[in-house]
Amino acid sequence: MKKLSLLLCCCIAHFLSYGQVAQSGLSIIPEPVKVTRLAGQFVLPKKVLIEAGTQPELSPVKNYLQKKLSTAPGSLVTIKSVAPLASIRLILNKTADTVIGSEGYKLSVKAKKIVIRANEAAGLFYGVQTLMQLLPADIESAELVKNVKWTVPAVDITDYPRFGWRGLMFDVARHFFTKDEVKQYIDAMVKYKFNLLHLHLTDDEGWRVEIKSLPKLTTVGAYNVKKIGQFGTFTPPAADEPRNYGGFYTQDDIKELVQYAQDRFVNILPEIDVPGHSLAAVVAYPELSCTPGADKYVVNSGEPFMDWTGPHNKAIVDNTLCPANENVYAFLDKVVTEVAQLFPFPYIHLGGDECAKNFWEQSDAIKALMTKENLKTQQEVQSYFEKRLEKIVESKGKKFMGWDEIIEGGLGPNAAVMSWRGIKGGIEAAKMGHEVVMSPTTFAYLDYMQSDRVNETRIYATLRLSKSYEFEPVPDSVDAKLIKGGQANLWTEQVYNLRQAEYMTWPRGMAIAESVWSPKEKKSWPYFFGKVEKQFDRFNAAEIKYAPSVYDPSFSAIRNADGTLKITLANEVDGLDTYYSFDNSFPDRFYPKYSEPIDAPKDATTLRVITYRGKKPIGRMVTMPLSDLASRIK
Ligand code: ACM
């Protein structure tokens, strides 16, 4: 009986929390902590008077709001420090409101007045982001939009983040993205209250940050040969093919980006990925390698150079810095000195992932180091390297962070760990008392495909939106205080341009945003997805690309006794109808509707499907060769 009443209570609580969420009828992502809908609405006047203080840290918030309200609505915006008749007020609390912390805010919308209060400017900025999501989707247009009634529903919101580290990683090394493209990426991420941009600045395909004391890193290391197609499968470039594809950020560019990000309350975490993933550095300075002949290496252009087939990746060309070479530490001291000066964020990420050890195993210098330092394994060799690097980083007043491989062979005393191979590295590090950021492939890898591979740019794994939404940064077994937060990672081997970077980031970025901002108990997939669809209208207005993959079904097949295929389709979203054909024509809603696993006719070669919501086609036309499905049967 006790159990039964407990169950009943849980059910009611569950129903209420979802009910409460759903009742707000608003589509704010990430979901705020507390939303109370009120009667009525605010109508944005043609002339908007804003009251906001003159504190310098408020300038970026005022500028942002002014630009937004004057662009699509075309309002005439005036900002004054004292304006009793103002229709919008931005108030920095004189006495800190302990509930909302440094990034939280309170937003009150009434018929005649909007008030945002916060302890710090960041909170006001997030209050403004929420306000933008309460305005019609056209607010995201970069041009004047006529004939829209610019209303905001009356509401009281109290909101603050669950985690202080809410990140997106952008790999600008595999393909270079210009300063302006990075700014556009920042513009999109702040709408969902991300506050950290991790820039993966160096890799085998390019070194992207000017280091003045090591000019060849960018004169040589920033360029490869332009190749288009399936990255990783390209033919090795010929000697006479121009090495002019790529680029780098000058130190002035970095300063500009850091300022741009700061003005949007985003920190930039720089990553210099060593000792593996370092081919661009080795090509610039071959003396950093343990391997004779490194002076003949070239910056990778997407031709195969790593063997991923075994339990440990093996390098075909030695893309590592040599831990047995003192010059490497002098080199890293120079790099870290300049990086530390460029980026105000307290952490520097020094990579450490996927370092191939097969060339080290052959190296006399490494063997001598192992004897001298009593190192038993190649993991301990890497750990020796990481610990020395940690000291260099700390000598510049910064905190050392690396991917979870830095745990293998022994973690340095103060190292922070970014857990990517699932969450187990993060758990191990937290249990040893180290700070952790969770960014597991299982939920947070934005380079993975978003639906079936026949419909996506091909890569080795799939991560659907609903799975991303399950991201929970704090495992049960660890001290939650050590989990600084979470982030999603966009690797760009197969991402050649910003439009594709946007496609890969959204909508999964919204799932991650809600996982790192909103209270865990407020998460609900059906409600979240309803909001995502409303956000799509905003992406359309902003002309930012997003993936419609969530509307594509998943496919699986088994073989019938007669050799034909029995095919199962599954949608991750409820309420869609899936129509199909095997006769090579393009189905619509007058075709057979999928209701149970279907048998492919004996001689059919192609299954085509499309999803509808009612009478409206909503998914893409998916063409599935039956040979492809058959090849997946184990
Ligand atoms: C990684 O994905 N190699 C950190």
Side-chain angles (χ1 to χ4, degrees):
M1 186 58 197
K2 224 171 163 181
K3 264 191 192 153
L4 195 70
S5 48
L6 193 71
L7 189 76
L8 208 67
C9 285
C10 286
C11 285
I12 292 169
H14 185 75
F15 176 79
L16 275 181
S17 69
Y18 281 12
Q20 264 169 13
V21 171
Q23 265 171 21
S24 88
L26 308 172
S27 293
I28 303 164
I29 295 180
E31 183 65 26
V33 172
K34 188 160 184 279
V35 181
T36 310
R37 265 308 276 278
L38 307 168
Q41 62 181 19
F42 172 93
V43 181
L44 190 73
K46 220 40 226 150
K47 288 186 182 165
V48 185
L49 180 58
I50 298 176
E51 185 184 82
T54 52
Q55 299 92 324
E57 70 271 25
L58 288 192
S59 295
V61 187
K62 292 191 281 191
N63 294 344
Y64 191 96
L65 183 58
Q66 178 158 37
K67 183 152 184 236
K68 279 303 219 188
L69 297 183
S70 54
T71 303
S75 293
L76 196 70
V77 180
T78 315
I79 305 182
K80 292 192 174 158
S81 57
V82 182
L85 297 179
S87 45
I88 302 180
R89 296 181 73 205
L90 304 179
I91 301 173
L92 264 188
N93 292 328
K94 290 214 172 67
T95 316
D97 176 337
T98 51
V99 172
I100 59 176
S102 59
E103 293 184 293
Y105 62 91
K106 286 187 172 161
L107 167 64
S108 155
V109 180
K110 300 213 166 71
K112 292 278 171 254
K113 188 160 285 212
I114 293 177
V115 181
I116 308 176
R117 291 172 196 275
N119 296 329
E120 296 187 19
L124 292 179
F125 185 70
Y126 295 130
V128 167
Q129 293 306 336
T130 297
L131 175 59
M132 292 303 113
Q133 291 196 26
L134 293 171
L135 279 157
D138 281 325
I139 190 71
E140 294 305 332
S141 169
E143 290 144 28
L144 179 70
V145 186
K146 294 201 173 122
N147 302 323
V148 172
K149 193 160 183 218
W150 300 99
T151 58
V152 184
V155 73
D156 261 333
I157 294 179
T158 300
D159 197 16
Y160 48 88
R162 185 172 166 211
F163 296 103
W165 186 298
R166 304 182 303 277
L168 288 180
M169 190 215 74
F170 193 11
D171 170 6
V172 292
R174 267 44 178 279
H175 285 102
F176 180 60
F177 293 82
T178 63
K179 187 176 58 178
D180 285 339
E181 289 171 330
V182 175
K183 288 181 183 175
Q184 287 178 60
Y185 201 76
I186 293 171
D187 287 344
M189 67 190 266
V190 297
K191 292 178 190 172
Y192 299 100
K193 305 187 175 85
F194 284 104
N195 66 354
L196 182 117
L197 176 66
H198 168 171
L199 283 182
H200 181 76
L201 286 166
T202 72
D203 216 300
D204 302 307
E205 293 75 15
W207 184 285
R208 306 297 180 203
V209 53
E210 178 187 25
I211 303 296
K212 287 192 197 275
S213 57
L214 296 160
K216 284 200 281 181
L217 284 174
T218 41
T219 54
V220 174
Y223 298 96
N224 59 4
V225 174
K226 180 166 184 171
K227 298 264 187 181
I228 301 213
Q230 183 71 18
F231 187 95
T233 67
F234 296 140
T235 48
D240 61 352
E241 282 188 79
R243 294 199 156 263
N244 57 8
Y245 180 64
F248 66 94
Y249 310 113
T250 64
Q251 296 207 346
D252 283 344
D253 289 339
I254 294 285
K255 286 177 196 149
E256 190 180 322
L257 277 176
V258 165
Q259 188 61 51
Y260 190 88
Q262 272 180 353
D263 285 347
R264 286 149 188 81
F265 302 91
V266 168
N267 288 306
I268 299 186
L269 168 72
E271 182 190 351
I272 305 294
D273 197 356
V274 290
H277 286 281
S278 292
L279 187 57
V282 168
V283 172
Y285 295 100
E287 61 273 22
L288 302 175
S289 174
C290 299
T291 301
D295 55 330
K296 305 282 180 313
Y297 289 167
V298 290
V299 179
N300 185 261
S301 305
E303 66 276 21
F305 75 109
M306 190 68 81
D307 174 2
W308 296 100
T309 52
H312 302 290
N313 50 313
K314 288 199 184 102
I316 300 165
V317 297
D318 184 4
N319 67 337
T320 67
L321 303 185
C322 185
N325 181 347
E326 282 307 310
N327 292 331
V328 163
Y329 301 100
F331 165 85
L332 288 169
D333 194 288
K334 287 183 182 166
V335 171
V336 173
T337 300
E338 295 192 35
V339 169
Q341 283 163 2
L342 281 173
F343 294 91
F345 194 55
Y347 294 78
I348 302 181
H349 194 308
L350 276 302
D353 58 320
E354 300 178 315
C355 178
K357 313 287 193 316
N358 53 306
F359 281 94
W360 293 1
E361 282 162 3
Q362 309 300 318
S363 160
D364 288 340
I366 295 283
K367 284 179 196 155
L369 177 75
M370 291 176 81
T371 308
K372 178 162 166 265
E373 299 291 336
N374 194 24
L375 307 172
K376 298 282 176 282
T377 62
Q378 296 302 330
Q379 281 71 24
E380 289 184 19
V381 173
Q382 181 169 345
S383 165
Y384 166 86
F385 170 91
E386 304 291 354
K387 285 175 184 157
R388 285 193 63 176
L389 189 47
E390 181 175 334
K391 285 205 183 106
I392 294 174
V393 170
E394 288 181 350
S395 76
K396 315 298 169 204
K398 296 287 182 175
K399 297 189 194 177
F400 175 88
M401 176 174 271
W403 298 110
D404 58 63
E405 283 91 335
I406 65 170
I407 303 171
E408 296 168 359
L411 190 56
N414 306 313
V417 170
M418 192 170 270
S419 189
W420 73 279
R421 296 176 300 176
I423 56 170
K424 64 181 187 321
I427 294 175
E428 203 182 327
K431 287 200 165 151
M432 292 187 285
H434 290 255
E435 290 181 332
V436 168
V437 172
M438 291 293 191
S439 62
T441 53
T442 15
F443 304 101
Y445 261 42
L446 301 178
D447 56 327
Y448 284 12
M449 299 178 291
Q450 300 175 75
S451 68
D452 195 280
R453 67 188 189 198
V454 295
N455 249 11
E456 301 285 345
T457 304
R458 191 67 64 93
I459 193 168
Y460 47 87
T462 301
L463 172 62
R464 298 202 62 132
L465 176 63
S466 50
K467 184 76 181 173
S468 276
Y469 192 65
E470 289 171 24
F471 181 38
E472 166 49 44
V474 181
D476 289 338
S477 55
V478 304
D479 177 359
K481 280 202 294 300
L482 290 166
I483 309 295
K484 295 181 70 64
Q487 68 176 49
N489 300 332
L490 178 60
W491 301 101
T492 61
E493 285 95 326
Q494 309 296 347
V495 179
Y496 290 73
N497 59 60
L498 186 68
R499 297 298 287 174
Q500 182 67 3
E502 292 169 354
Y503 175 98
M504 298 307 284
T505 305
W506 312 111
R508 287 179 299 191
M510 292 186 236
I512 302 300
E514 193 148 305
S515 302
V516 292
W517 178 286
S518 306
K520 190 174 163 182
E521 57 284 0
K522 288 202 94 175
K523 285 179 75 182
S524 149
W525 162 252
Y527 176 57
F528 170 73
F529 184 66
K531 295 191 297 180
V532 167
E533 289 198 291
K534 297 261 173 57
Q535 296 289 327
F536 284 164
D537 296 339
R538 294 174 181 272
F539 279 77
N540 291 335
E543 297 194 281
I544 296 175
K545 201 166 186 178
Y546 60 90
S549 318
V550 63
Y551 298 115
D552 300 334
S554 299
F555 296 77
S556 61
I558 54 169
R559 216 174 263 292
N560 290 316
D562 65 358
T564 57
L565 296 180
K566 186 178 283 300
I567 301 164
T568 301
L569 307 178
N571 290 321
E572 63 177 335
V573 176
D574 286 340
L576 303 186
D577 296 319
T578 308
Y579 299 91
Y580 65 92
S581 80
F582 284 107
D583 61 9
N584 305 329
S585 65
F586 294 85
D588 58 21
R589 73 181 195 88
F590 298 93
Y591 276 61
K593 178 154 83 172
Y594 179 87
S595 60
E596 58 182 358
I598 37 178
D599 291 319
K602 184 159 170 285
D603 293 314
T605 58
T606 304
L607 167 65
R608 284 209 171 92
V609 308
I610 185 164
T611 54
Y612 272 64
R613 183 179 278 140
K615 292 185 175 180
K616 201 167 156 252
I618 195 150
R620 297 178 284 196
M621 182 68 66
V622 185
T623 299
M624 171 63 76
L626 295 184
S627 55
D628 190 329
L629 267 187
S631 74
R632 303 175 192 188
I633 300 174
K634 300 255 160 48

